Amino acid sequence: MAARKEIELHLATLLAVDGFEDYGPNGLQVEGRPEVTRLVSGVTASRALIDAAIEAEADAILVHHGLFWRGQDGRLTGWLAERVRRLMAHGINLFAYHLPLDAHAELGNNAQLGARLGLVADARFGEQELGFVGPAVHEKTLSALTQRVQAALQREPLVLPGDGRPLRRIGWCTGGAQGYFEAAIAAGVDAFITGEVSEPQAHLARETGVAFLACGHHATERFGAPAVAAHVAERFGIEHRFIEIDNPA
Ligand SMILES: [Zn+2]
């Protein structure tokens, strides 16, 4: 058993939460019982994940996408009330870490995705240094890289092929980081891997020759939360289980 307070302090230091400008609060978002024996991790604090955590008799949930974001009007109604009601009724703590969880050099979403793709960053780029870039060690062609991504994520990426150049440097940033494409190009990548795509990236790929792979927001962000939660579980001697809630987006 571990004190919620200790876990919260440890995570704040581990993930350097004070160093980020973010779209939502990082740390404890909903306060549950003071002691934690069972920790569940997941990508998003959806109702399905919360219900699964209740079923698993969890004392705490650790996610990448929490409940509260800039732009919300502050009302606890509808679907948001449902989620909060379930957490509070069962005394479950909700820990959420957004950009700090993307960025952590070893346990974060970017590092963990890189590890699954055989990529190791030797530099960072973009706003708050969230983009990772490193040499293309294994795959030098786009089709080989695409196959590796597909095998690692069990999902076919949407590929904007660029000009077919050999891959020397690959950039990546998990989730909805399509807006980092220009910064990736400026950082000298030959291909950029992220979760989502928007209309402008298709033209940028054509006009700059840099390939773009949209591999799924959820699919690229499945690995950070369980890595951090497993670290917490080991450090505090508590149970941990990752619960995957499928999401095609
Ligand atoms: Zn995300």
Side-chain angles (χ1 to χ4, degrees):
M1 199 188 291
R4 173 231 300 141
K5 198 91 202 142
E6 295 293 316
I7 295 174
E8 189 184 5
L9 281 171
H10 180 71
L11 284 168
T13 308
L14 176 77
L15 300 174
V17 296
D18 291 340
F20 290 87
E21 272 285 317
D22 213 329
Y23 315 102
N26 288 298
L28 186 68
Q29 290 199 343
V30 177
E31 186 177 301
R33 60 183 71 96
E35 305 285 343
V36 175
T37 304
R38 288 195 192 90
L39 174 64
V40 155
S41 65
V43 178
T44 299
S46 62
R47 193 159 91 188
L49 179 67
I50 293 167
D51 284 344
I54 292 167
E55 185 76 33
E57 299 185 340
D59 308 296
I61 304 176
L62 189 152
V63 293
H64 178 49
H65 302 135
L67 296 178
F68 307 109
W69 300 98
R70 191 159 68 198
Q72 286 172 333
D73 67 8
R75 279 181 281 200
L76 222 45
T77 55
W79 59 270
L80 186 53
E82 267 317 314
R83 294 185 188 182
V84 173
R85 193 189 337 271
R86 280 156 204 247
L87 289 168
M88 300 207 82
H90 292 87
I92 299 176
N93 297 285
L94 177 68
F95 293 103
Y97 300 90
H98 187 232
L99 299 183
L101 186 59
D102 289 320
H104 190 275
E106 182 198 332
L107 301 171
N109 279 324
N110 285 332
Q112 291 287 317
L113 176 66
R116 279 158 184 85
L117 299 178
L119 296 170
V120 177
D122 59 16
R124 300 277 195 104
F125 69 90
E127 207 197 312
Q128 302 191 69
E129 306 251 281
L130 285 167
F132 281 41
V133 58
V137 183
H138 302 284
E139 271 73 36
K140 308 287 188 192
T141 67
L142 182 59
S143 64
L145 179 66
T146 303
Q147 275 172 32
R148 179 179 273 262
V149 166
Q150 184 156 354
L153 301 182
Q154 293 297 300
R155 192 195 140 102
E156 194 179 338
L158 183 149
V159 179
L160 306 169
D163 59 11
R165 67 182 69 172
L167 307 182
R168 282 179 299 269
R169 304 276 296 161
I170 296 174
W172 70 100
C173 193
T174 62
Q178 61 269 55
Y180 278 62
F181 190 29
E182 277 194 86
I185 294 164
V189 309
D190 302 302
F192 179 59
I193 295 168
T194 186
E196 298 188 33
V197 63
S198 298
E199 192 269 356
Q201 284 85 50
H203 300 291
L204 284 176
R206 285 175 194 150
E207 291 166 26
T208 65
V210 175
F212 184 101
L213 295 88
C215 310
H217 189 133
H218 175 88
T220 56
E221 295 199 320
R222 268 189 312 224
F223 310 116
V228 168
H231 161 90
V232 166
E234 165 136 26
R235 152 108 201 194
F236 291 97
I238 60 174
E239 292 171 34
H240 162 244
R241 198 173 124 202
F242 172 68
I243 297 180
E244 164 79 336
I245 304 293
D246 186 45
N247 185 340

